[in-house]
Amino acid sequence: MSHHDHSRRHFLGSAAGIATAGAFGFGSFGGLQSAFASELFDPTTPRQPHHPAKAKAVIWLHMAGAPSTLDLFDYKPELIKLAGTPLPDSFGKDLKTATDGGVGNLYASKRTWKQHGESGAWVSDLLPNIAKQADDIAFLKGSKTEGSTHVIASLKLHTAGLVPGRPALGSWVQYGLGSANPDLPAFVVLPTGVGAAGGGRGAVIWSSGFLPAALQGTPFRKGDSPILHLARPDGITEKEQRAQLDLLRALNGEHAERYPGDTELIARAKSYDLAYRMQVSAPEAVDLGKETATTKAAYGIGSKETDEYGTALLRARRLVERGVRFVHVISGAPDNSVDSWDAHNNLEKNHAVMCKQVDQPVGALLADLKARGLLETTLVVWASEFGRTPYGQSGNGRDHNPWGYTQWIAGGGIKPGTYGGTDEIGLRAATGVVDTYDLQATLLHQLGLNHKKLVFAHQGRAEKATTVFGDVIKEILA
């Protein structure tokens, strides 16, 4: 290895250490030039927030493929009235259509709409169980984003970037706060279902990006054994395994001192120790055997349509109970009858299947968290890469709509109610406009992190979780 390469690694390692110190006040830059990032940064160490936190954890429900919130939460009598007619010029001005499907006539599905709870929130007949929890939900009806393709908009939703390479929000949360339980990963990913899921299944949306590699999301498999290779190998005693890990730690430690910028190696070394501790803690955390039959039935476990998603959400509740900071649940299709929420055609069938999958488990999660006193400190987020258009596509579906749709947050010090709205036909956000950057900034704020102060030095830039954008949505803070 050349002197240049060694110097470059040394510089990168020092820069990573400086970034961590700068973010959390470990000291002045002067005394850190030769410090190693591995010595300064341990992802399992709890860290103090910037300000008092209202929330301790996030359960992020990614509705991959993008549901039509016009058919779930955004009641538009004018759209129903004008259904079958062309998009009025006054609404379509300067509209750049998302795909090549063109702009069809306005389309209204066969929904029954009712107001629910004391808040009077509108929810359609597709989500009767979530509707029962309406008084605990803040509906962000003026949501908008950028990008008309699933992959680009999904990257922006999760990483605040339009191209791969940036850290996921869960990685930023772990970077800022560390772990509340060193025996479990702080950032867990629970993929569900089958199908392409609109670009939402790729590991790029739970990557740690340029942050230390130990901060990436830890995906759990579906089924009764969600964590691979957790059991101790046959014929190996605990003492022998501990001795092996101690030897690995010593060898990796020597290498890390020579190449402090190699965060992949540091992450691997720490993962060995985490896996050792998880042999005891993790099986208990994901084992639903101790849950009552009533609880499992409430989540829809045991019923074909809801079993897998309900299992994931009950595990999510058990994980946040045990100190996991960020649980990212991704909704794939429950079977091969549909691909994801991506209903360019046959929306009635698509959303009937997808809503049946998620409605009961999500309603049960909110009720269960509240009954256990956990909703006060847990942010539950319903999010998607974008929404869907009020005009039709293929006669009975909807195109991508990044200009106006609904997302929601419950718990974690968020004030329930309806915030903002789209225009009369649900095409564009008109009031209370909320970008994905604002959503991310608000979640970080509730966790005690200032999105403008949470910084990491990367390639000469002070990188932030929401890049240079984002405002806390103060109107929904309790």
Side-chain angles (χ1 to χ4, degrees):
M1 176 174 291
S2 69
H3 174 73
H4 171 77
D5 289 337
H6 181 79
S7 299
R8 182 175 180 274
R9 285 181 178 270
H10 182 78
F11 169 76
L12 291 173
S14 299
I18 291 170
T20 306
F24 297 103
F26 287 140
S28 64
F29 279 12
L32 294 171
Q33 295 295 341
S34 61
F36 295 138
S38 58
E39 295 172 339
L40 283 173
F41 183 77
D42 184 342
T44 63
T45 302
R47 286 178 285 280
Q48 291 299 311
H50 296 124
H51 55 258
K54 293 290 184 70
K56 298 178 181 178
V58 175
I59 298 176
W60 179 284
L61 308 176
H62 177 39
M63 299 296 139
S68 169
T69 52
L70 275 172
D71 298 283
L72 304 180
F73 307 114
D74 202 7
Y75 176 49
K76 294 296 178 185
E78 191 68 13
L79 175 61
I80 298 171
K81 177 182 174 183
L82 296 175
T85 66
L87 177 70
D89 292 340
S90 58
F91 290 99
K93 184 180 180 181
D94 299 325
L95 183 69
K96 294 182 180 180
T97 55
T99 64
D100 294 331
V103 178
N105 290 339
L106 295 175
Y107 172 65
S109 64
K110 302 171 184 176
R111 302 278 59 81
T112 299
W113 291 90
K114 291 182 181 178
Q115 290 179 279
H116 294 269
E118 294 183 8
S119 68
W122 288 97
V123 183
S124 85
D125 56 337
L126 285 172
L127 299 174
N129 291 283
I130 292 176
K132 295 176 183 177
Q133 312 304 322
D135 281 343
D136 290 313
I137 295 174
F139 293 94
L140 307 177
K141 291 195 172 183
S143 296
K144 77 172 189 67
T145 188
E146 300 167 43
S148 59
T149 65
H150 293 284
V151 173
I152 291 175
S154 187
L155 281 169
K156 181 173 178 287
L157 173 65
H158 294 99
T159 74
L162 301 180
V163 295
R166 287 190 55 81
L169 186 64
S171 296
W172 282 107
V173 169
Q174 187 181 1
Y175 171 62
L177 296 176
S179 174
N181 182 347
D183 296 337
L184 288 171
F187 177 15
V188 172
V189 184
L190 302 177
T192 66
V194 296
R201 296 290 290 276
V204 68
I205 63 170
W206 66 81
S207 166
S208 59
F210 49 71
L211 291 177
L215 300 178
Q216 64 191 315
T218 300
F220 283 10
R221 296 188 306 166
K222 299 176 285 184
D224 294 333
S225 181
I227 307 167
L228 280 170
H229 311 305
L230 198 58
R232 186 177 296 113
D234 293 337
I236 301 294
T237 67
E238 181 179 358
K239 183 177 180 180
E240 289 170 333
Q241 186 185 30
R242 184 66 264 172
Q244 290 176 350
L245 291 173
D246 289 343
L247 175 60
L248 277 171
R249 178 188 291 167
L251 294 172
N252 287 334
E254 291 181 8
H255 190 80
E257 287 183 2
R258 292 174 61 195
Y259 308 116
D262 189 352
T263 67
E264 292 285 349
L265 176 65
I266 297 168
R268 178 170 291 188
K270 293 186 182 301
S271 74
Y272 290 145
D273 285 328
L274 175 59
Y276 178 77
R277 298 191 302 271
M278 283 174 62
Q279 287 177 161
V280 174
S281 59
E284 187 276 335
V286 298
D287 181 12
L288 306 187
K290 294 183 180 179
E291 297 289 339
T292 67
T294 300
T295 296
K296 287 187 278 191
Y299 279 82
I301 297 171
S303 298
K304 179 182 177 181
E305 298 92 342
T306 52
D307 183 80
E308 185 183 340
Y309 198 76
T311 297
L313 293 199
L314 183 49
R315 280 185 174 145
R317 190 218 79 203
R318 291 179 63 85
L319 289 169
V320 299
E321 273 184 312
R322 287 155 178 77
V324 174
R325 299 277 193 198
F326 200 102
V327 184
H328 183 186
V329 186
I330 303 173
S331 69
D335 54 50
N336 290 314
S337 64
V338 299
D339 180 70
S340 69
W341 287 99
D342 197 19
H344 288 279
N345 50 52
N346 207 348
L347 183 141
E348 291 282 357
K349 175 186 177 182
N350 177 288
H351 277 35
V353 171
M354 296 303 297
C355 287
K356 182 69 173 177
Q357 178 197 30
V358 306
D359 175 52
Q360 182 179 344
V362 173
L365 173 68
L366 294 174
D368 195 14
L369 289 170
K370 188 171 184 178
R372 293 170 181 268
L374 289 169
L375 191 59
E376 295 178 5
T377 56
T378 304
L379 291 154
V380 181
V381 184
W382 169 293
S384 60
E385 55 266 43
F386 35 58
R388 307 203 81 83
T389 58
Y391 54 82
Q393 188 180 16
S394 305
N396 56 9
R398 299 190 189 279
D399 202 354
H400 304 166
N401 179 1
W403 312 291
Y405 58 103
T406 300
Q407 300 182 104
W408 57 253
I409 313 173
I414 295 296
K415 182 168 58 180
T418 296
Y419 175 75
T422 51
D423 57 32
E424 290 89 341
I425 61 171
L427 179 60
R428 306 182 206 235
T431 60
V433 179
V434 171
D435 200 291
T436 52
Y437 303 118
D438 306 320
L439 174 66
Q440 294 159 347
T442 303
L443 298 177
L444 290 171
H445 179 271
Q446 295 303 92
L447 291 165
L449 296 171
N450 185 324
H451 69 289
K452 296 179 180 179
K453 295 181 179 179
L454 185 64
V455 296
F456 186 87
H458 174 64
Q459 296 183 342
R461 291 166 55 95
E463 294 284 0
K464 302 179 179 67
T466 64
T467 62
V468 297
F469 303 105
D471 294 302
V472 175
I473 313 166
K474 294 181 180 179
E475 292 85 347
I476 66 170
L477 304 186

